[in-house]
Amino acid sequence: NGASDAEGRFRFEGVGNDSSTPYLIGAEYQGVTYPGARVVFAPGEVEREVEIRVAEVTSERQSVSVPLVQLRIDWLGTRLRVVESLTLRNASSRTVYVPAEDRDTEGPALLAQLPAGAEDFAMPHGMQPEGVEHRDGKVTFWGPLYPGEQELSFSYVRPAGDETVQFDAAFPSGVEKIEILTPAAGPAPSGEGLVEGEPKQLEGRRFRIFEGPALAPDQHLTLSLELPEARVDPDA
């Protein structure tokens, strides 16, 4: 660890330059952590320069929007597993972040609503990053949301005991575009304003893509899926 000078420059001395040892360089400014680069010294190299861009911090969220929400739906017999990925855009030059001590009086950068009956909430790699809270069926993101775009993903499971499954996809923060992905051999969703687009290959699997309309804050999209008959068969 070290502190920079007034111009933001810093220097680490006495660092080993073994080419098999990687270093992860980051910075902290105004209480916000900024990821940097993975640095490896080349054989014989004794000096490396790293630039880490930081920004002033604000709790104002007028510059925040959600240009895309992607719902990837997998059918697991008597359950639906949904991976929800939200693209967040910060159009300002400042980082949006609300520290813990101000969260009783300030609003979050993003609020997402899980559908009724959602279970087994999880985040990638089982790690819930700082600034994300899951409580009472809501996912709250307090930042940091850096200038530009970044993605927030989580998954949940919804029971699907009936042949027809219907649930509301709600977006308290609004969304400009919705994509719904289902396996090519799985059930197709239906809902107001859904239009099927070009299929996509993901992780070696083929998915159908359905595009939904833009939704204003607090609007929702009702989705229906007709599921094939399922059976419990350990020998299948």
Side-chain angles (χ1 to χ4, degrees), residues 15-135:
V15 176
N17 65 340
D18 188 331
S19 59
S20 65
T21 303
Y23 295 94
L24 298 177
I25 308 298
E28 181 178 303
Y29 180 60
Q30 294 184 346
V32 173
T33 299
Y34 292 84
R38 182 178 183 271
V39 174
V40 177
F41 285 92
E45 193 174 31
V46 296
E47 184 175 308
R48 289 291 304 270
E49 290 187 1
V50 177
E51 181 180 270
I52 303 172
R53 293 186 176 273
V54 300
E56 298 295 318
V57 175
T58 180
S59 59
E60 297 179 359
R61 58 192 187 282
Q62 290 87 344
S63 62
V64 177
S65 61
V66 185
L68 175 66
V69 171
Q70 188 181 82
L71 302 176
R72 176 172 158 179
I73 303 175
D74 272 312
W75 174 53
L76 305 174
T78 58
R79 302 191 303 167
L80 292 178
R81 182 175 182 270
V82 181
V83 178
E84 187 164 332
S85 299
L86 302 95
T87 300
L88 311 180
R89 178 185 295 141
N90 175 7
S92 78
S93 60
R94 298 187 292 176
T95 296
V96 178
Y97 177 68
V98 181
E101 60 270 20
D102 295 335
R103 293 174 186 174
D104 289 337
T105 56
E106 298 281 355
L110 173 87
L111 179 63
Q113 176 73 55
L114 302 186
E119 304 171 348
D120 299 338
F121 174 85
M123 300 201 73
H125 312 297
M127 298 177 62
Q128 188 160 310
E130 194 275 332
V132 175
E133 296 177 357
H134 168 237
R135 187 183 301 120

